[in-house]
Amino acid sequence: MREETGLSVIQCQKALEEAEGDKIRAIELLKKKGSEIAAKKSDRELKAGVVASYVHAGDRVGVMVELLCETDFVAKNPEFRSVARDIGMHIAAMSPGSWEELLGQPFIKDPGLKISDIIS
């Protein structure tokens, strides 16, 4: 679970206990708590991350995104890398004019979520 979520062993253990051993339910609980956890850590220095690129079909539009995180453990997580690429794809499609505009836009893959939700 730690590899799937990027969260600490203790947080995963607590979620498993709360979910009565149901791994799928525990991961859902962790995702719900993820934004709360991210908010608590928002003042910490970001020392790791990834640079992801997205080149749209036809090779006429491309985007590079640097998405930072607290540890290299998170940066190596495939889901984190996927989020960075998805944000690049979104930028290529929607051309936000500023960081603030990007964060407020509905995510092109799931309009029920904003980019700020994806990052959290």
Side-chain angles (χ1 to χ4, degrees):
M1 274 184 55
R2 182 169 188 226
E3 289 177 7
E4 289 179 47
T5 63
L7 297 173
S8 71
V9 173
I10 293 174
Q11 290 169 323
C12 292
Q13 182 180 8
K14 287 180 182 179
L16 273 172
E17 289 172 2
E18 188 175 335
E20 299 174 347
D22 183 344
K23 182 180 174 183
I24 294 170
R25 190 166 154 239
I27 290 174
E28 289 174 9
L29 289 170
L30 288 170
K31 286 182 180 180
K32 287 179 184 177
K33 292 179 181 179
S35 60
E36 294 171 15
I37 293 167
K40 288 179 185 177
K41 295 182 176 187
S42 66
D43 293 338
R44 294 186 184 179
E45 184 179 352
L46 303 176
K47 298 179 181 179
V50 296
V51 173
S53 62
Y54 173 80
V55 178
H56 192 65
D59 298 334
R60 297 190 70 196
V61 177
V63 175
M64 288 184 71
V65 173
E66 180 183 33
L67 187 61
L68 299 174
C69 59
E70 201 172 303
T71 66
D72 64 340
F73 181 79
V74 173
K76 293 177 184 177
N77 181 306
E79 187 174 341
F80 184 82
R81 292 174 175 266
S82 177
V83 167
R85 186 174 188 287
D86 284 348
I87 291 171
M89 179 179 55
H90 178 91
I91 292 169
M94 303 303 290
S95 300
S98 67
W99 177 246
E100 291 78 18
E101 183 182 345
L102 170 67
L103 292 176
Q105 289 181 334
F107 182 42
I108 59 171
K109 284 180 138 182
D110 183 353
L113 296 172
K114 291 182 179 182
I115 294 296
S116 60
D117 298 329
I118 302 295
I119 292 172
S120 293

